[in-house]
Amino acid sequence: MRLVVLDFDGTLADSFDWFCSVMNGVAERYRFRQVEAHEVEGLRLQGARAIVAHLGIPRWKLPLIARHMHALAARDAAQIALFPGVPEMLAGLAQAGVPMAILSSNRADTVRRVLGPDNAAQIDAYACGASLFGKARRLRRLLARRGVVPAQALCIGDEIRDLEAARALGCPFGAVAWGYTAPQALAAQGPEYLFSNPGEIARLLAGAPAHWPRLAPGTTLAPLPLPNGS
């Protein structure tokens, strides 16, 4: 593998609680359906297209909403932290010489601020500002710029739209179980990997042989908790 392409929100950055805290204010501003507390876990089982339809958001409003959300994220960047284990994962991959890129809908300046200078310096390329459903285009340009064919890039993310972008280009995909989309919904899509914590990413990639064994679709590297928490 010649490149690891990492999503940001929900994969590196623990921004879900922040997202929920501002979402209904954005809904009021742009006149779409607000989310009730009891709906959150159900929506985590859905992909972005289904969520947009559920909230009744016209497609033409999506760029306006995205720009506003990005401005709010920039304003509140100090409130958003990295997931535990992410700095160690990035350091381990960098020490092992694994090239890393970030592919995000968020703004590059916000991504860098949340990462902090030390973590940001370990990222080899940034492809930020993708539209909600524009990650495949941004990923294609990123791979072309880096001279990497899709089969040699592992994409890692927490949403079904991340997986769809990777598959559109033929990249293998590693889903993370700690982000916006519920792990069982991601597993149902058959990702090549399903990571239970950031340390599993580092253990797989840092010092991995040139040929990475593929796991069967939906197979986990470590057991996920059952719905009852056991």
Side-chain angles (χ1 to χ4, degrees):
M1 289 291 167
R2 296 181 55 198
L3 185 66
V4 174
V5 182
L6 297 157
D7 172 56
F8 182 69
D9 286 288
T11 300
L12 303 181
D14 186 2
S15 57
F16 184 70
D17 287 345
W18 169 85
F19 179 85
C20 291
S21 74
V22 301
M23 187 63 183
N24 282 342
V26 176
E28 183 176 1
R29 179 186 180 105
Y30 290 97
R31 299 182 182 277
F32 61 87
R33 188 174 182 274
Q34 295 190 7
V35 178
E36 302 292 337
H38 70 271
E39 297 179 286
V40 172
E41 288 307 308
L43 291 176
R44 292 187 65 229
L45 295 169
Q46 306 296 321
R49 287 179 175 81
I51 294 172
V52 167
H54 175 80
L55 297 180
I57 304 175
R59 292 292 291 263
W60 66 268
K61 284 189 179 182
L62 290 177
L64 302 175
I65 295 169
R67 281 196 293 272
H68 184 65
M69 290 292 292
H70 295 163
L72 294 178
R75 180 197 70 185
D76 299 337
Q79 302 177 26
I80 302 171
L82 299 178
F83 283 104
V86 163
E88 294 81 0
M89 176 197 75
L90 297 177
L93 295 181
Q95 185 175 10
V98 178
M100 292 176 284
I102 288 180
L103 173 65
S104 175
S105 297
N106 214 327
R107 289 172 16 183
D109 60 327
T110 303
V111 170
R112 289 177 180 272
R113 284 176 61 196
V114 176
L115 284 173
D118 292 340
N119 293 317
Q122 297 176 27
I123 304 301
D124 298 280
Y126 290 84
C128 297
S131 64
L132 184 65
F133 300 115
K135 280 195 167 184
R137 291 190 298 273
R138 195 61 59 97
L139 177 60
R140 183 180 291 108
R141 290 198 291 269
L142 170 66
L143 297 181
R145 189 167 73 244
R146 300 288 299 181
V148 175
V149 299
Q152 296 176 323
L154 175 65
C155 296
I156 298 176
D158 70 307
E159 293 187 62
I160 291 173
R161 67 188 178 107
D162 299 328
L163 182 149
E164 291 172 343
R167 283 194 173 156
L169 272 72
C171 298
F173 185 76
V176 305
W178 56 84
Y180 282 43
T181 303
Q184 59 267 40
L186 289 165
Q189 300 294 318
E192 278 73 19
Y193 301 94
L194 181 56
F195 300 106
S196 296
N197 58 70
E200 289 183 348
I201 299 174
R203 287 193 292 273
L204 176 69
L205 303 183
H211 171 71
W212 293 355
R214 286 171 56 119
L215 300 182
T219 301
T220 61
L221 295 177
L224 289 174
L226 297 175
N228 64 5
S230 61

